[in-house]
Amino acid sequence: MTTTENDTDAAEVPAPGIAPRPVIGQLPQYAAGKPPVVVEGLQSYKLSSNENPFPPLPAVLDAINEAATVNRYPDPLSTALRNELSTFLDVPAEDIVTGGGSLGALNQLLATFAGQNPDGAADEVIYPWRSFEAYPISVGLAGARSVQVPLNSDGTHNLAAMAEAVTERTKVILLCTPNNPTGPVLTTAQVEDFLRRIPTNIIVVIDEAYEDFVRDDDAVNGVEMYRKHPNVVVLRTFSKGAGLAGLRVGYSIAHAPITEHLRVAAVPFAVSTIAEQAAVASLRHHEQIVERIQGLVAERTRVVEGLEALGWSIPAAQGNFVWLALGENTPEFAALAGEQALAVRAFGNEGVRVTIGEEEANTRFLALCATYTKGPRVS
């Protein structure tokens, strides 16, 4: 069939009466990290997305090649991966539901437990702000209402205010630890105290997308909280530490009264066979992945200590990124980074998140910070 010029013109004319749901116009658009600009004489580095700068392990790449049968549907339950995770985490396989990254797992949860009710009132989902920018999009698309609780000045969750925000309409609370984009973790004591204040019929999600990078001994462990609290759901992903961001494989962990409903809302075949086998191989070579992650943690320490030596004040960094609370200077700093062939993630007039990347990229970032005089300083 040939497309004529008239056909093309007709396709460009909006169909009358077609409109999205009203909520679509009220939601922010997700902004992925931009690639770096090309600067002559400089190697470009992308520090705008919280990706692992290194490829998967050779053994994982082998598993990807061996699993490259794409004419068949994947196992909708990701049985091999759930069984491997069951052994690795010492949790029942039935308590694990896979999804397209931890965000896919979150969307399944919200679609199941939060939305619009027959009486027209929307359920409420409480989360810290600023936090993962997909939260308001996911909550809105589920039909629920966002209740955003501002962070403390040091980039940590204001758990007291989050507890006070609970109403009879609250169905889900999201905790992001380490918090993206600011970096601090929640401690075990903080979360235990928080859970004592939350009714047990409210789901508390502990989003641990960056748990591979946490080195704080007091940091909460979501799996341990799930073992003790039936209303806790844990989100994790292979995108960060294992370097599988492009394959989109994550999962939730929750008790049977939650997972039995989650499986109904789970997107069929969301995790491809290739992604599943890559994740399984990553678990079987976990020690080697930890070695790679430790190298990034060492680079994070170098960057943090370098910033502190320059007099910068930044929140405690426990993810694979650092946060610069630059306020109105955010666009200027991002532009200067671009001139150095560094792509960083600017958040309006709030601040800049910089992913820990290759050694040369981190060194160049520190050199920029050494010359920039408008950053947040230690008082």
Side-chain angles (χ1 to χ4, degrees):
M1 179 177 178
T2 303
T3 301
T4 67
E5 183 177 343
N6 288 337
D7 291 333
T8 302
D9 291 342
E12 294 174 352
V13 177
I18 295 179
R21 294 163 52 204
V23 69
I24 299 299
Q26 303 168 14
L27 298 178
Q29 292 188 13
Y30 184 87
K34 296 180 180 179
V37 298
V38 176
V39 178
E40 187 176 354
L42 289 176
Q43 171 69 43
S44 297
Y45 293 102
K46 184 184 178 188
L47 307 181
S48 54
S49 295
N50 289 336
E51 302 156 333
N52 191 321
F54 305 114
L57 295 171
V60 176
L61 292 175
D62 289 342
I64 289 173
N65 291 329
E66 292 172 7
T69 302
V70 295
N71 60 310
R72 303 292 184 185
Y73 286 113
D75 173 7
L77 297 179
S78 302
T79 305
L81 176 56
R82 290 191 304 110
N83 287 339
E84 198 73 30
L85 281 167
S86 174
T87 300
F88 183 78
L89 297 171
D90 191 24
V91 303
E94 293 75 18
D95 287 2
I96 301 169
V97 180
T98 56
S102 56
L103 177 57
L106 172 63
N107 287 338
Q108 293 169 175
L109 182 84
L110 293 174
T112 306
F113 293 101
Q116 200 83 16
N117 293 289
D119 63 1
D123 295 326
E124 294 176 348
V125 178
I126 298 171
Y127 54 87
W129 197 252
R130 176 170 289 276
S131 193
F132 182 31
E133 64 179 312
Y135 287 164
I137 302 171
S138 295
V139 171
L141 288 176
R145 186 175 80 86
S146 284
V147 179
Q148 298 180 347
V149 177
L151 297 170
N152 295 316
S153 60
D154 61 356
T156 59
H157 290 43
N158 187 339
L159 292 177
M162 292 180 72
E164 291 172 1
V166 171
T167 72
E168 61 181 13
R169 289 288 184 184
T170 304
K171 292 298 175 69
V172 178
I173 299 174
L174 307 179
L175 304 179
C176 186
T177 179
N179 186 56
N180 174 23
T182 57
V185 292
L186 292 165
T187 68
T188 300
Q190 288 173 329
V191 175
E192 287 281 18
D193 180 67
F194 180 74
L195 290 170
R196 282 192 287 269
R197 302 180 61 183
I198 302 302
T200 55
N201 65 329
I202 295 175
I203 290 175
V204 177
V205 177
I206 301 180
D207 186 346
E208 293 187 309
Y210 300 93
E211 58 91 20
D212 289 317
F213 302 94
V214 174
R215 296 297 180 269
D216 186 334
D217 292 337
D218 294 326
V220 69
N221 181 299
V223 174
E224 294 306 314
M225 292 299 101
Y226 136 87
R227 297 189 203 280
K228 299 168 64 175
H229 301 276
N231 62 324
V232 165
V233 176
V234 182
L235 299 181
R236 290 188 176 181
T237 180
F238 289 86
S239 295
K240 316 299 182 184
L244 301 183
L247 289 181
R248 312 306 302 128
V249 52
Y251 56 97
S252 62
I253 308 171
H255 291 281
I258 294 175
T259 57
E260 66 180 346
H261 301 299
L262 267 183
R263 295 195 195 286
V264 176
V267 178
F269 313 118
V271 176
S272 69
T273 301
I274 294 173
E276 180 180 18
Q277 291 306 310
V280 168
S282 296
L283 290 171
R284 291 177 179 174
H285 295 84
H286 180 68
E287 291 184 1
Q288 292 174 261
I289 289 179
V290 169
E291 290 179 9
R292 284 191 171 186
I293 293 171
Q294 191 56 39
L296 290 172
V297 170
E299 275 295 288
R300 180 186 72 195
T301 299
R302 182 172 76 90
V303 169
V304 169
E305 291 178 349
L307 288 170
E308 291 174 345
L310 293 169
W312 285 66
S313 175
I314 63 171
Q318 286 291 311
N320 65 334
F321 52 88
V322 294
W323 172 253
L324 310 180
L326 288 159
E328 63 183 11
N329 298 313
T330 294
E332 178 185 65
F333 184 91
L336 290 172
E339 294 175 5
Q340 296 298 313
L342 299 175
V344 298
R345 182 67 172 88
F347 290 83
N349 287 322
E350 297 176 59
V352 171
R353 188 193 67 199
V354 183
T355 304
I356 302 300
E358 297 87 340
E359 182 178 351
E360 167 59 26
N362 303 329
T363 297
R364 197 183 303 167
F365 164 61
L366 286 173
L368 172 60
C369 291
T371 63
Y372 193 75
T373 61
K374 302 177 185 178
R377 301 287 165 171
V378 177
S379 57

